[in-house]
Amino acid sequence: MVLTLARLTTRWSGWLLAATCLLGALFLGLKLFEYSDDFERHLVPWRDFALGGADTGGARLFFLMYFVTTGAHAVHLLVGLVLVGVMFGGVVTGRLSRKDPETIELTGLYWHLVDIVWIFLFPLLYLVSRV
Amino acid sequence: MKDESDTALRWGSTRGLVLVWLALLVLLALTVGSSYVPLHGWNATINIAIAAVKAALVAIFFMRLRASGALVRLIAASGVIWALILIGLSLVDELTRPS
């Protein structure tokens, strides 16, 4: 995303925005695949939860947190995809140009904020208890 | 060309941005790799520390804090401090619970 701003003067910018959109959509697609797997394995705490036993309370809390945080992140990513898509349209049609990088900059700031959220969520949710 | 150098100053050179991205990938490999090594309860701490470094790289280079004035940096820092206060207070219950 930020590369787009550095290369805004060139015809690369449109392709870079398109690539950003594609990679974001790929992430969301993988997330949907992951959610459907969670549903099949009964890992949704409010729907016939599979993990019983002594640790069921902690497991419920973990998966509740998992769905709330990844869900909130996915919604933000969806908003980001729409924004980057609009920027792509603007650059391709020439409505956005080097004269007003502000619009694209704000989109970039938002995109990277969502990025930072995932940087923390990934180790907290996916790398715990691997040892 | 003046415009070209202005752009490089504001957003960083393409080469620099790619280098930061590569550094992020190295840190990602480090955090994934370390999570498979038993480190006597330090795994989570190390993962959070690596995440903090990655977030700093993104904020400084991709979100342009490097080229921003003191006011913008101060506001960015205040956001981080408030987030830490909120998360810290949320953890108070769990951390002070008698085991």
Side-chain angles (χ1 to χ4, degrees):
Chain A
M1 179 71 222
V2 72
L3 263 180
T4 305
L5 286 158
R7 312 303 298 166
L8 198 58
T9 52
T10 73
R11 61 203 161 108
W12 274 95
S13 51
W15 288 112
L16 290 167
L17 285 169
T20 307
C21 247
L22 268 176
L23 289 170
L26 183 70
F27 180 96
L28 268 189
L30 284 172
K31 188 60 53 197
L32 282 178
F33 179 73
E34 185 184 317
Y35 280 162
S36 78
D37 193 49
D38 294 334
F39 269 86
E40 271 176 28
R41 293 209 242 166
H42 295 280
L43 292 175
V44 187
W46 56 87
R47 190 183 142 273
D48 193 17
F49 194 54
L51 302 176
D55 293 331
T56 185
R60 270 172 199 277
L61 269 181
F62 177 85
F63 276 98
L64 185 65
M65 204 66 182
Y66 160 79
F67 280 111
V68 168
T69 51
T70 57
H73 180 263
V75 169
H76 282 81
L77 195 70
L78 202 59
V79 172
L81 279 184
V82 172
L83 289 176
V84 177
V86 170
M87 296 306 118
F88 172 71
V91 166
V92 167
T93 58
R95 272 184 299 111
L96 293 171
S97 68
R98 58 198 299 181
K99 270 172 271 172
D100 46 7
E102 199 96 303
T103 320
I104 298 181
E105 177 181 5
L106 288 172
T107 307
L109 286 176
Y110 175 81
W111 188 261
H112 287 301
L113 174 77
V114 180
D115 183 10
I116 286 180
V117 170
W118 190 255
I119 283 177
F120 282 102
L121 285 187
F122 174 68
L124 285 175
L125 296 175
Y126 295 87
L127 297 182
V128 283
S129 308
R130 288 273 167 194
V131 188
Chain B
M1 273 175 30
K2 189 178 175 297
D3 279 351
E4 288 285 328
S5 58
D6 275 1
T7 310
L9 191 70
R10 277 191 83 184
W11 311 112
S13 63
T14 303
R15 190 167 156 270
L17 291 172
V18 170
L19 281 177
V20 172
W21 179 67
L22 288 175
L24 287 169
L25 288 186
V26 169
L27 287 168
L28 174 64
L30 201 64
T31 197
V32 172
S34 76
S35 64
Y36 287 96
V37 182
L39 296 166
H40 312 288
W42 282 92
N43 288 76
T45 312
I46 286 168
N47 275 337
I48 297 287
I50 293 175
V53 173
K54 287 169 76 182
L57 283 177
V58 170
I60 291 168
F61 293 101
F62 291 174
M63 297 176 87
R64 221 163 66 75
L65 275 185
R66 190 174 66 126
S68 298
L71 186 60
V72 173
R73 290 180 188 189
L74 199 62
I75 288 169
S78 70
V80 172
I81 290 166
W82 272 109
L84 288 179
I85 291 172
L86 288 172
I87 295 166
L89 286 177
S90 304
L91 288 176
V92 161
D93 167 48
E94 212 276 332
L95 294 176
T96 56
R97 221 177 272 175
S99 48

